[in-house]
Amino acid sequence: MKHNLILRVVSKFLIPLIILFALYVQFHGDFGPGGGFQAGVIFSAAIILYGLVFGVDKAKRVITPYILRLLASLGVLIYAGTGVATILLGGNFLQYGVLASSQLAGQHVGILVIELGVGITVMSVMLIIFFTFAERGQAVLNSKAESERE
Amino acid sequence: MIDNIVDITLLSLIAIHAIAIIRMRSLFAVVMLFGGFSFLSAGLFVVMDAADVAFTEAAVGAGISTVLMLATLALTYTPEEADKEEKAPTHKPWLPLGVVFITGALLIYGTYNLPGFGDPNAPSQLHVAPYYLGKSLSETGVPNVVTAVLASYRGFDTLGEVTVIFTAGIAVLLIIGGRRRVKPNIEKNGGDHEA
Amino acid sequence: MDMILGHYNYWMVIIIMMAGFYTVISRGNLVKKIVGLNIFQVSVFLLYISIGNVKGGATPIIETGVDLYSNPLPHVLILTAIVVGVATTALGLALVVRIKEAYGTIEEDDIHNQDQSL
Protein backbone atom coordinates (compact mmCIF):
# COMPACT_ATOMS: atom_id res chain seq x y z
CA MET A 1 0.00 0.00 0.00
CA LYS A 2 3.02 2.35 -0.02
CA HIS A 3 2.65 3.76 -3.53
CA ASN A 4 -1.07 4.30 -3.94
CA LEU A 5 -0.77 8.08 -3.97
CA ILE A 6 -4.28 8.79 -5.27
CA LEU A 7 -5.84 6.49 -2.70
CA ARG A 8 -3.91 8.14 0.13
CA VAL A 9 -4.71 11.70 -0.90
CA VAL A 10 -8.39 11.00 -1.56
CA SER A 11 -8.89 9.13 1.68
CA LYS A 12 -7.18 11.93 3.63
CA PHE A 13 -9.85 14.24 2.27
CA LEU A 14 -12.66 11.76 2.81
CA ILE A 15 -12.01 10.49 6.33
CA PRO A 16 -12.82 13.77 8.17
CA LEU A 17 -15.98 14.10 6.10
CA ILE A 18 -17.03 10.54 6.92
CA ILE A 19 -16.50 11.17 10.63
CA LEU A 20 -18.41 14.45 10.45
CA PHE A 21 -21.24 12.67 8.66
CA ALA A 22 -21.27 9.95 11.31
CA LEU A 23 -21.63 12.58 14.03
CA TYR A 24 -24.43 14.25 12.06
CA VAL A 25 -26.24 10.93 11.68
CA GLN A 26 -25.76 10.25 15.39
CA PHE A 27 -27.14 13.52 16.73
CA HIS A 28 -29.65 14.30 14.00
CA GLY A 29 -31.20 10.83 14.07
CA ASP A 30 -34.29 12.13 15.88
CA PHE A 31 -35.26 14.36 12.97
CA GLY A 32 -33.93 12.68 9.85
CA PRO A 33 -33.03 9.11 9.01
CA GLY A 34 -30.26 7.84 11.21
CA GLY A 35 -29.42 6.90 14.76
CA GLY A 36 -26.87 5.13 16.88
CA PHE A 37 -26.59 1.94 14.83
CA GLN A 38 -25.91 3.74 11.54
CA ALA A 39 -23.60 6.32 13.09
CA GLY A 40 -21.53 3.66 14.83
CA VAL A 41 -21.07 1.70 11.63
CA ILE A 42 -20.18 4.81 9.57
CA PHE A 43 -17.67 5.99 12.18
CA SER A 44 -15.98 2.59 12.27
CA ALA A 45 -15.94 2.56 8.45
CA ALA A 46 -13.88 5.77 8.55
CA ILE A 47 -11.30 4.22 10.88
CA ILE A 48 -11.28 0.98 8.86
CA LEU A 49 -10.61 3.00 5.69
CA TYR A 50 -7.69 4.67 7.47
CA GLY A 51 -6.42 1.27 8.57
CA LEU A 52 -6.69 -0.20 5.07
CA VAL A 53 -4.88 2.69 3.38
CA PHE A 54 -2.23 3.68 5.94
CA GLY A 55 -1.74 0.38 7.75
CA VAL A 56 -3.47 -1.15 10.75
CA ASP A 57 -0.66 -0.15 13.13
CA LYS A 58 -1.27 3.54 12.49
CA ALA A 59 -5.01 3.06 12.90
CA LYS A 60 -4.35 1.38 16.23
CA ARG A 61 -2.43 4.45 17.34
CA VAL A 62 -5.57 6.53 16.70
CA ILE A 63 -7.76 4.30 18.88
CA THR A 64 -5.89 1.67 20.86
CA PRO A 65 -7.54 -1.75 21.32
CA TYR A 66 -7.53 -1.25 25.08
CA ILE A 67 -9.61 1.93 24.79
CA LEU A 68 -11.90 0.16 22.32
CA ARG A 69 -12.65 -2.57 24.84
CA LEU A 70 -13.42 0.06 27.46
CA LEU A 71 -15.65 1.95 25.01
CA ALA A 72 -17.58 -1.18 24.00
CA SER A 73 -18.49 -1.83 27.62
CA LEU A 74 -19.10 1.88 28.26
CA GLY A 75 -21.79 2.02 25.57
CA VAL A 76 -23.79 -0.83 27.11
CA LEU A 77 -23.22 0.73 30.54
CA ILE A 78 -24.61 4.10 29.37
CA TYR A 79 -27.69 2.36 27.98
CA ALA A 80 -28.41 0.18 30.98
CA GLY A 81 -27.36 2.99 33.33
CA THR A 82 -30.03 5.24 31.83
CA GLY A 83 -32.56 2.55 32.72
CA VAL A 84 -31.26 2.34 36.28
CA ALA A 85 -31.24 6.15 36.56
CA THR A 86 -34.92 6.29 35.59
CA ILE A 87 -35.69 3.70 38.28
CA LEU A 88 -33.78 5.75 40.87
CA LEU A 89 -35.70 8.86 39.84
CA GLY A 90 -38.95 7.08 40.55
CA GLY A 91 -40.04 5.81 37.12
CA ASN A 92 -40.00 2.43 35.42
CA PHE A 93 -36.95 0.95 33.66
CA LEU A 94 -36.19 3.19 30.62
CA GLN A 95 -39.18 5.46 31.30
CA TYR A 96 -37.46 8.64 30.06
CA GLY A 97 -40.20 11.04 31.20
CA VAL A 98 -38.67 11.36 34.67
CA LEU A 99 -35.24 12.47 33.39
CA ALA A 100 -36.25 16.12 32.92
CA SER A 101 -38.94 18.52 34.02
CA SER A 102 -41.55 17.54 31.40
CA GLN A 103 -42.45 14.31 29.62
CA LEU A 104 -41.31 15.56 26.20
CA ALA A 105 -37.99 17.00 27.44
CA GLY A 106 -37.29 13.78 29.34
CA GLN A 107 -37.96 11.69 26.24
CA HIS A 108 -35.59 13.88 24.28
CA VAL A 109 -32.76 13.51 26.79
CA GLY A 110 -33.35 9.78 27.16
CA ILE A 111 -33.37 9.04 23.44
CA LEU A 112 -30.25 11.14 22.84
CA VAL A 113 -28.33 9.42 25.65
CA ILE A 114 -29.21 5.84 24.74
CA GLU A 115 -28.55 6.49 21.04
CA LEU A 116 -25.10 7.67 22.12
CA GLY A 117 -24.64 4.43 24.05
CA VAL A 118 -25.70 2.37 21.03
CA GLY A 119 -23.38 4.34 18.74
CA ILE A 120 -20.34 3.92 21.01
CA THR A 121 -20.88 0.17 21.41
CA VAL A 122 -21.51 -0.51 17.72
CA MET A 123 -18.50 1.61 16.66
CA SER A 124 -16.10 -0.05 19.06
CA VAL A 125 -17.33 -3.61 18.48
CA MET A 126 -16.97 -3.22 14.70
CA LEU A 127 -13.43 -1.88 15.18
CA ILE A 128 -12.58 -4.63 17.68
CA ILE A 129 -13.66 -7.25 15.15
CA PHE A 130 -11.69 -5.62 12.32
CA PHE A 131 -8.52 -5.17 14.40
CA THR A 132 -8.74 -8.75 15.66
CA PHE A 133 -8.91 -10.12 12.12
CA ALA A 134 -6.04 -7.85 11.02
CA GLU A 135 -3.90 -8.82 14.02
CA ARG A 136 -4.45 -12.49 13.26
CA GLY A 137 -3.15 -11.92 9.74
CA GLN A 138 0.02 -10.31 11.04
CA ALA A 139 0.47 -13.13 13.56
CA VAL A 140 0.20 -15.68 10.74
CA LEU A 141 2.81 -13.80 8.69
CA ASN A 142 5.16 -13.51 11.69
CA SER A 143 4.91 -17.18 12.62
CA LYS A 144 5.54 -18.13 9.01
CA ALA A 145 8.64 -15.94 8.92
CA GLU A 146 9.84 -17.50 12.16
CA SER A 147 9.36 -21.04 10.93
CA GLU A 148 11.27 -20.16 7.76
CA ARG A 149 14.18 -18.82 9.83
CA GLU A 150 14.29 -22.08 11.75
CA MET B 1 -46.16 2.75 -11.76
CA ILE B 2 -42.57 3.98 -11.88
CA ASP B 3 -42.15 2.61 -8.36
CA ASN B 4 -43.23 -0.82 -9.57
CA ILE B 5 -40.78 -0.75 -12.48
CA VAL B 6 -37.84 0.22 -10.27
CA ASP B 7 -38.90 -2.37 -7.71
CA ILE B 8 -39.13 -5.18 -10.27
CA THR B 9 -35.82 -4.25 -11.91
CA LEU B 10 -33.92 -4.09 -8.61
CA LEU B 11 -35.42 -7.34 -7.32
CA SER B 12 -34.53 -9.13 -10.56
CA LEU B 13 -30.97 -7.79 -10.39
CA ILE B 14 -30.69 -8.97 -6.78
CA ALA B 15 -31.91 -12.45 -7.75
CA ILE B 16 -29.41 -12.54 -10.64
CA HIS B 17 -26.62 -11.65 -8.22
CA ALA B 18 -27.71 -14.41 -5.85
CA ILE B 19 -27.70 -17.00 -8.62
CA ALA B 20 -24.35 -15.74 -9.95
CA ILE B 21 -22.93 -16.20 -6.45
CA ILE B 22 -23.99 -19.86 -6.51
CA ARG B 23 -22.33 -20.44 -9.88
CA MET B 24 -19.09 -18.51 -9.22
CA ARG B 25 -16.19 -20.60 -7.98
CA SER B 26 -13.65 -17.83 -7.41
CA LEU B 27 -14.15 -16.77 -3.79
CA PHE B 28 -12.90 -13.22 -4.37
CA ALA B 29 -15.55 -12.76 -7.07
CA VAL B 30 -18.17 -14.24 -4.74
CA VAL B 31 -17.35 -11.72 -2.00
CA MET B 32 -17.36 -8.76 -4.39
CA LEU B 33 -20.69 -9.90 -5.87
CA PHE B 34 -22.04 -10.09 -2.34
CA GLY B 35 -21.05 -6.43 -1.88
CA GLY B 36 -23.01 -5.55 -5.03
CA PHE B 37 -25.93 -7.64 -3.80
CA SER B 38 -26.00 -5.64 -0.55
CA PHE B 39 -25.83 -2.31 -2.38
CA LEU B 40 -28.74 -3.28 -4.62
CA SER B 41 -30.83 -4.34 -1.66
CA ALA B 42 -30.02 -1.00 0.02
CA GLY B 43 -31.38 0.71 -3.11
CA LEU B 44 -34.50 -1.42 -2.95
CA PHE B 45 -35.01 -0.46 0.71
CA VAL B 46 -35.01 3.21 -0.35
CA VAL B 47 -37.66 2.46 -2.98
CA MET B 48 -39.76 0.73 -0.33
CA ASP B 49 -39.62 3.84 1.95
CA ALA B 50 -37.22 2.39 4.52
CA ALA B 51 -34.52 5.07 4.56
CA ASP B 52 -33.06 4.06 7.92
CA VAL B 53 -32.76 0.42 6.90
CA ALA B 54 -31.19 1.35 3.57
CA PHE B 55 -28.62 3.45 5.38
CA THR B 56 -27.67 0.58 7.65
CA GLU B 57 -27.59 -2.01 4.90
CA ALA B 58 -25.34 0.14 2.70
CA ALA B 59 -22.88 0.77 5.53
CA VAL B 60 -22.97 -2.72 7.05
CA GLY B 61 -23.67 -5.12 4.19
CA ALA B 62 -21.63 -3.48 1.49
CA GLY B 63 -18.98 -2.01 3.80
CA ILE B 64 -18.12 -3.93 6.94
CA SER B 65 -19.31 -7.42 5.90
CA THR B 66 -17.33 -7.28 2.66
CA VAL B 67 -14.18 -6.09 4.43
CA LEU B 68 -14.50 -8.87 7.01
CA MET B 69 -15.02 -11.53 4.33
CA LEU B 70 -11.98 -10.27 2.41
CA ALA B 71 -9.97 -10.38 5.65
CA THR B 72 -11.05 -13.98 6.15
CA LEU B 73 -10.00 -14.86 2.61
CA ALA B 74 -6.60 -13.26 3.26
CA LEU B 75 -6.26 -15.31 6.44
CA THR B 76 -7.37 -18.64 4.99
CA TYR B 77 -5.49 -18.68 1.67
CA THR B 78 -1.79 -18.07 1.22
CA PRO B 79 -0.67 -15.68 -1.54
CA GLU B 80 0.58 -18.66 -3.56
CA GLU B 81 -2.99 -19.92 -3.92
CA ALA B 82 -3.86 -16.58 -5.43
CA ASP B 83 -6.69 -17.95 -7.58
CA LYS B 84 -8.60 -18.71 -4.36
CA GLU B 85 -11.15 -21.03 -5.91
CA GLU B 86 -13.36 -23.32 -3.92
CA LYS B 87 -13.18 -26.99 -4.78
CA ALA B 88 -15.62 -28.36 -7.31
CA PRO B 89 -18.56 -29.95 -5.48
CA THR B 90 -18.03 -33.69 -5.08
CA HIS B 91 -21.66 -34.64 -4.66
CA LYS B 92 -24.36 -34.64 -7.29
CA PRO B 93 -26.56 -31.56 -6.85
CA TRP B 94 -29.88 -33.41 -7.17
CA LEU B 95 -30.67 -33.91 -3.49
CA PRO B 96 -30.14 -30.27 -2.42
CA LEU B 97 -31.86 -29.06 -5.60
CA GLY B 98 -34.87 -31.23 -4.77
CA VAL B 99 -35.02 -29.94 -1.20
CA VAL B 100 -34.75 -26.34 -2.40
CA PHE B 101 -37.44 -26.72 -5.05
CA ILE B 102 -39.89 -28.43 -2.70
CA THR B 103 -39.34 -25.81 0.02
CA GLY B 104 -39.61 -22.98 -2.50
CA ALA B 105 -42.81 -24.41 -4.01
CA LEU B 106 -44.38 -24.73 -0.56
CA LEU B 107 -43.42 -21.15 0.34
CA ILE B 108 -44.79 -19.80 -2.96
CA TYR B 109 -48.01 -21.74 -2.33
CA GLY B 110 -48.10 -20.01 1.07
CA THR B 111 -47.89 -16.52 -0.48
CA TYR B 112 -51.27 -16.87 -2.21
CA ASN B 113 -53.11 -15.88 0.94
CA LEU B 114 -50.84 -12.94 1.70
CA PRO B 115 -52.27 -9.46 1.13
CA GLY B 116 -50.92 -7.75 -2.00
CA PHE B 117 -47.71 -5.72 -1.96
CA GLY B 118 -48.39 -2.17 -0.72
CA ASP B 119 -51.99 -2.90 0.30
CA PRO B 120 -52.96 -0.17 2.82
CA ASN B 121 -55.61 -2.45 4.38
CA ALA B 122 -53.28 -5.39 5.08
CA PRO B 123 -53.54 -6.66 8.68
CA SER B 124 -49.97 -5.55 9.41
CA GLN B 125 -50.85 -1.90 8.68
CA LEU B 126 -53.95 -1.86 10.88
CA HIS B 127 -52.70 -3.16 14.18
CA VAL B 128 -49.93 -1.25 16.04
CA ALA B 129 -48.50 0.96 13.32
CA PRO B 130 -51.35 3.54 13.33
CA TYR B 131 -50.76 4.08 17.05
CA TYR B 132 -47.05 4.76 16.55
CA LEU B 133 -47.65 6.99 13.53
CA GLY B 134 -50.39 8.98 15.25
CA LYS B 135 -49.04 9.30 18.76
CA SER B 136 -45.25 9.20 18.60
CA LEU B 137 -44.78 12.90 17.82
CA SER B 138 -46.97 14.04 20.70
CA GLU B 139 -45.65 11.43 23.13
CA THR B 140 -41.91 11.55 22.42
CA GLY B 141 -41.40 14.76 20.43
CA VAL B 142 -39.31 12.89 17.85
CA PRO B 143 -40.46 13.23 14.21
CA ASN B 144 -38.59 10.13 13.02
CA VAL B 145 -40.97 7.35 14.04
CA VAL B 146 -38.34 4.67 13.52
CA THR B 147 -36.04 6.31 16.08
CA ALA B 148 -38.96 6.87 18.45
CA VAL B 149 -40.00 3.20 18.34
CA LEU B 150 -36.41 1.95 18.45
CA ALA B 151 -35.24 4.06 21.36
CA SER B 152 -38.40 4.74 23.34
CA TYR B 153 -41.30 2.33 22.80
CA ARG B 154 -39.08 -0.69 22.28
CA GLY B 155 -36.11 0.54 24.30
CA PHE B 156 -35.82 -2.68 26.26
CA ASP B 157 -35.62 -4.68 23.03
CA THR B 158 -32.82 -2.44 21.73
CA LEU B 159 -30.90 -2.89 24.97
CA GLY B 160 -30.97 -6.62 24.22
CA GLU B 161 -29.72 -6.04 20.66
CA VAL B 162 -26.82 -3.91 21.89
CA THR B 163 -25.93 -6.64 24.36
CA VAL B 164 -25.93 -9.19 21.53
CA ILE B 165 -23.49 -7.04 19.53
CA PHE B 166 -21.28 -6.58 22.58
CA THR B 167 -21.30 -10.34 23.21
CA ALA B 168 -20.39 -11.06 19.59
CA GLY B 169 -17.42 -8.70 19.91
CA ILE B 170 -16.24 -10.50 23.05
CA ALA B 171 -16.70 -13.88 21.37
CA VAL B 172 -14.59 -12.84 18.36
CA LEU B 173 -11.88 -11.66 20.75
CA LEU B 174 -12.01 -14.98 22.60
CA ILE B 175 -11.87 -17.10 19.44
CA ILE B 176 -9.11 -15.39 17.46
CA GLY B 177 -7.97 -12.55 19.71
CA GLY B 178 -5.25 -14.23 21.75
CA ARG B 179 -1.64 -14.87 20.80
CA ARG B 180 -1.36 -17.50 18.11
CA ARG B 181 0.67 -20.52 19.12
CA VAL B 182 3.32 -21.14 16.48
CA LYS B 183 2.74 -24.47 14.77
CA PRO B 184 5.32 -24.67 11.99
CA ASN B 185 4.15 -28.12 10.88
CA ILE B 186 0.73 -26.91 9.69
CA GLU B 187 1.90 -26.12 6.20
CA LYS B 188 3.78 -29.43 5.87
CA ASN B 189 1.22 -32.09 6.72
CA GLY B 190 -1.82 -29.95 6.11
CA GLY B 191 -3.55 -30.73 9.37
CA ASP B 192 -3.19 -30.65 13.12
CA HIS B 193 -5.68 -32.40 15.34
CA GLU B 194 -4.52 -31.20 18.75
CA ALA B 195 -4.79 -27.47 18.02
CA MET C 1 -52.01 -8.44 -13.46
CA ASP C 2 -52.86 -7.27 -9.94
CA MET C 3 -52.02 -10.73 -8.67
CA ILE C 4 -48.61 -10.63 -10.33
CA LEU C 5 -47.74 -7.08 -9.22
CA GLY C 6 -49.06 -7.74 -5.73
CA HIS C 7 -47.07 -10.92 -5.23
CA TYR C 8 -43.97 -10.35 -7.37
CA ASN C 9 -41.99 -9.17 -4.34
CA TYR C 10 -42.82 -12.27 -2.33
CA TRP C 11 -41.93 -14.62 -5.19
CA MET C 12 -38.59 -12.95 -5.85
CA VAL C 13 -37.84 -12.94 -2.13
CA ILE C 14 -38.49 -16.68 -2.05
CA ILE C 15 -36.21 -17.22 -5.07
CA ILE C 16 -33.41 -15.26 -3.38
CA MET C 17 -34.03 -17.11 -0.13
CA MET C 18 -33.79 -20.47 -1.90
CA ALA C 19 -30.59 -19.36 -3.67
CA GLY C 20 -29.06 -18.69 -0.26
CA PHE C 21 -30.42 -21.97 1.13
CA TYR C 22 -29.01 -23.92 -1.82
CA THR C 23 -25.58 -22.32 -1.33
CA VAL C 24 -25.61 -23.31 2.34
CA ILE C 25 -26.61 -26.95 1.84
CA SER C 26 -24.78 -27.82 -1.38
CA ARG C 27 -21.42 -26.04 -1.21
CA GLY C 28 -18.54 -27.35 0.88
CA ASN C 29 -16.50 -24.18 1.20
CA LEU C 30 -17.12 -22.54 4.57
CA VAL C 31 -16.68 -18.92 3.36
CA LYS C 32 -19.22 -19.57 0.64
CA LYS C 33 -21.59 -21.12 3.15
CA ILE C 34 -21.44 -17.89 5.17
CA VAL C 35 -22.11 -15.83 2.03
CA GLY C 36 -25.13 -18.09 1.46
CA LEU C 37 -26.35 -17.51 5.01
CA ASN C 38 -26.06 -13.76 4.43
CA ILE C 39 -28.09 -14.01 1.22
CA PHE C 40 -30.77 -15.90 3.12
CA GLN C 41 -30.70 -13.20 5.79
CA VAL C 42 -31.06 -10.32 3.29
CA SER C 43 -34.03 -12.08 1.69
CA VAL C 44 -35.78 -12.13 5.06
CA PHE C 45 -35.06 -8.41 5.43
CA LEU C 46 -36.59 -7.80 2.00
CA LEU C 47 -39.69 -9.81 2.97
CA TYR C 48 -40.25 -7.77 6.13
CA ILE C 49 -39.78 -4.42 4.40
CA SER C 50 -42.13 -5.54 1.58
CA ILE C 51 -44.80 -6.35 4.16
CA GLY C 52 -44.36 -2.92 5.77
CA ASN C 53 -44.62 -0.99 2.50
CA VAL C 54 -47.76 1.02 1.78
CA LYS C 55 -48.52 2.09 -1.79
CA GLY C 56 -48.08 5.86 -2.07
CA GLY C 57 -46.82 6.06 1.51
CA ALA C 58 -43.89 8.16 2.64
CA THR C 59 -40.82 7.33 4.71
CA PRO C 60 -42.05 7.31 8.33
CA ILE C 61 -40.68 10.71 9.38
CA ILE C 62 -43.63 12.81 10.52
CA GLU C 63 -44.08 16.01 8.56
CA THR C 64 -47.02 18.36 8.23
CA GLY C 65 -48.96 17.89 5.02
CA VAL C 66 -48.17 14.20 4.66
CA ASP C 67 -50.65 11.73 6.07
CA LEU C 68 -49.82 8.34 4.56
CA TYR C 69 -46.69 6.64 5.86
CA SER C 70 -45.19 3.20 5.52
CA ASN C 71 -45.29 0.92 8.54
CA PRO C 72 -42.34 1.84 10.82
CA LEU C 73 -42.39 -1.33 12.89
CA PRO C 74 -40.71 -3.70 10.36
CA HIS C 75 -38.08 -1.00 9.79
CA VAL C 76 -37.16 -1.02 13.47
CA LEU C 77 -36.96 -4.81 13.61
CA ILE C 78 -34.81 -5.06 10.49
CA LEU C 79 -32.57 -2.14 11.41
CA THR C 80 -31.41 -3.93 14.54
CA ALA C 81 -31.37 -7.30 12.77
CA ILE C 82 -28.87 -6.01 10.16
CA VAL C 83 -26.36 -4.86 12.76
CA VAL C 84 -26.78 -8.02 14.83
CA GLY C 85 -26.40 -9.95 11.55
CA VAL C 86 -22.98 -8.49 10.82
CA ALA C 87 -21.87 -9.25 14.38
CA THR C 88 -22.88 -12.90 14.01
CA THR C 89 -21.30 -13.05 10.54
CA ALA C 90 -18.05 -11.84 12.06
CA LEU C 91 -18.34 -14.58 14.68
CA GLY C 92 -18.84 -17.20 11.95
CA LEU C 93 -15.85 -15.89 10.01
CA ALA C 94 -13.74 -16.03 13.18
CA LEU C 95 -14.70 -19.69 13.54
CA VAL C 96 -13.70 -20.25 9.89
CA VAL C 97 -10.27 -18.75 10.61
CA ARG C 98 -9.82 -21.05 13.61
CA ILE C 99 -10.91 -24.09 11.58
CA LYS C 100 -8.34 -23.17 8.90
CA GLU C 101 -5.62 -22.97 11.55
CA ALA C 102 -6.59 -26.29 13.12
CA TYR C 103 -7.24 -28.33 9.96
CA GLY C 104 -5.34 -26.47 7.25
CA THR C 105 -8.40 -26.32 5.03
CA ILE C 106 -11.85 -24.75 4.88
CA GLU C 107 -13.40 -27.38 2.61
CA GLU C 108 -15.97 -29.43 4.46
CA ASP C 109 -15.09 -32.71 2.71
CA ASP C 110 -11.41 -32.45 3.71
CA ILE C 111 -12.37 -31.73 7.31
CA HIS C 112 -14.60 -34.81 7.38
CA ASN C 113 -11.78 -36.88 5.89
CA GLN C 114 -9.35 -35.74 8.56
CA ASP C 115 -11.83 -36.46 11.34
CA GLN C 116 -12.94 -39.69 9.66
CA SER C 117 -16.40 -38.52 10.59
CA LEU C 118 -18.14 -39.30 7.32
Side-chain angles (χ1 to χ4, degrees), chain B residues 7 12 21-22 24 49 56 76 86-87 90 111-112 115 117-118 124-125 129 143 145 180 186 190 192-193, chain C residues 3 6-10 32 51 53 55 57 60 62 70-71 79-80 84 98 100-103 107 109-110 114:
Chain B
D7 177 74
S12 311
I21 287 174
I22 297 181
M24 279 294 176
D49 304 324
T56 321
T76 48
E86 64 169 330
K87 279 193 180 168
T90 48
T111 61
Y112 275 89
F117 172 63
S124 61
Q125 326 293 4
V145 188
R180 187 189 137 98
I186 283 183
D192 185 339
H193 292 268
Chain C
M3 179 72 190
H7 287 74
Y8 183 79
N9 267 46
Y10 305 136
K32 199 155 176 189
I51 288 173
N53 188 34
K55 188 167 258 162
I62 304 287
S70 284
N71 192 340
L79 180 59
T80 48
V84 171
R98 281 295 284 130
K100 166 72 180 183
E101 286 171 6
Y103 289 86
E107 296 286 343
D109 290 346
D110 299 347
Q114 286 184 30

Side-chain angles (χ1 to χ4, degrees), chain C residues 49-108:
Chain C
I49 303 295
S50 304
I51 288 173
N53 188 34
V54 175
K55 188 167 258 162
T59 305
I61 297 172
I62 304 287
E63 201 160 331
T64 46
V66 184
D67 40 52
L68 188 60
Y69 298 99
S70 284
N71 192 340
L73 199 55
H75 299 183
V76 177
L77 301 178
I78 296 313
L79 180 59
T80 48
I82 289 176
V83 183
V84 171
V86 73
T88 48
T89 302
L91 188 56
L93 290 172
L95 287 172
V96 171
V97 170
R98 281 295 284 130
I99 287 172
K100 166 72 180 183
E101 286 171 6
Y103 289 86
T105 176
I106 55 168
E107 296 286 343
E108 210 179 35

Side-chain angles (χ1 to χ4, degrees), chain A residues 7-124:
Chain A
L7 202 57
R8 293 162 77 101
V9 172
V10 170
S11 50
K12 258 185 195 168
F13 274 114
L14 275 181
I15 287 166
L17 290 177
I18 297 175
I19 290 177
L20 193 66
F21 183 61
L23 292 175
Y24 166 77
V25 168
Q26 169 82 54
F27 293 109
H28 202 258
D30 308 3
F31 303 100
F37 285 103
Q38 294 93 326
V41 175
I42 293 171
F43 196 97
S44 64
I47 308 282
I48 289 176
L49 176 63
Y50 185 76
L52 287 177
V53 175
F54 295 96
V56 177
D57 289 331
K58 278 193 176 171
K60 271 187 198 157
R61 251 181 277 158
V62 179
I63 302 183
T64 61
Y66 178 70
I67 290 179
L68 277 180
R69 286 172 209 187
L70 284 185
L71 282 178
S73 340
L74 179 73
V76 181
L77 188 70
I78 288 175
Y79 201 137
T82 313
V84 175
T86 53
I87 290 182
L88 292 180
L89 288 171
N92 289 326
F93 191 68
L94 293 176
Q95 185 192 349
Y96 308 130
V98 295
L99 286 174
S101 51
S102 74
Q103 161 77 14
L104 277 187
Q107 288 282 347
H108 222 85
V109 174
I111 290 177
L112 212 63
V113 170
I114 68 147
E115 289 276 17
L116 190 65
V118 171
I120 291 175
T121 298
V122 171
M123 182 271 287
S124 39

